[in-house]
Amino acid sequence: MIVHSYDANPANWRDGDLERDAEHAGRILEWVEEAGQRALDGVVGEGEAGDGQIKVTTTVDGRVRDVAITRRAMRLDSRSLAEELLLAVHRAQDDAERKSRELVDEALGEVLPDGAFEPGALEEQYSRLLQLFERP
């Protein structure tokens, strides 16, 4: 299946675009309702800091599931320990986000426009859509 970039301007739509987009939307909803949420709920992010002395796992929505701190890391002053712990949490959250994007891209890549999950892609599309409604 060939994926086309989404163009929010109706003046640029071609015959069949609306039907194709409706089919894509249906496939996306089907995946989300049937398997997507279960798959995403299983995504776990992992992050380390302090030379591997602090390990954190998070869920796909960023919640911390587990923290492991070695005795060596506990010898750090409180500020350094807090900084390293936050770094490990952020790395785990980034890992979970990356894994979830890969999962969705793998499952829906053929029906979504290229780069649909790149940072800023949705914001750019919404911005272009809003520009259509601006008064000159």
Side-chain angles (χ1 to χ4, degrees):
M1 171 182 289
I2 298 173
V3 178
H4 301 281
S5 295
Y6 177 73
D7 187 346
N9 187 344
N12 296 330
W13 291 354
R14 298 177 305 239
D15 287 341
D17 282 354
L18 192 57
E19 291 82 8
R20 184 197 69 237
D21 290 344
E23 178 189 335
H24 290 178
R27 289 179 66 188
I28 292 168
L29 286 174
E30 180 182 323
W31 179 80
V32 169
E33 291 172 353
E34 291 180 8
Q37 193 58 52
R38 281 190 309 277
L40 287 172
D41 287 345
V43 171
V44 175
E46 300 171 336
E48 292 184 4
D51 295 327
Q53 300 300 310
I54 300 172
K55 297 179 181 183
V56 174
T57 58
T58 61
T59 61
V60 71
D61 61 359
R63 293 183 181 177
V64 175
R65 286 182 64 183
D66 188 49
V67 175
I69 303 173
T70 65
R71 289 182 185 195
R72 185 173 144 219
M74 291 298 290
R75 293 185 197 129
L76 294 169
D77 63 89
S78 61
R79 182 180 183 96
S80 297
L81 179 59
E83 288 173 353
E84 292 298 319
L85 180 58
L86 283 174
L87 179 60
V89 168
H90 291 154
R91 287 177 175 167
Q93 290 169 333
D94 289 345
D95 184 50
E97 181 180 352
R98 180 190 54 76
K99 288 177 180 176
S100 66
R101 285 177 190 226
E102 288 175 359
L103 178 72
V104 171
D105 190 45
E106 212 174 276
L108 301 173
E110 69 179 38
V111 295
L112 294 173
D114 289 337
F117 289 104
E118 294 299 318
L122 288 175
E123 292 169 11
E124 181 182 326
Q125 288 183 9
Y126 285 130
S127 176
R128 282 188 277 148
L129 182 61
L130 290 174
Q131 288 176 356
L132 296 172
F133 295 98
E134 290 180 1
R135 295 181 184 206

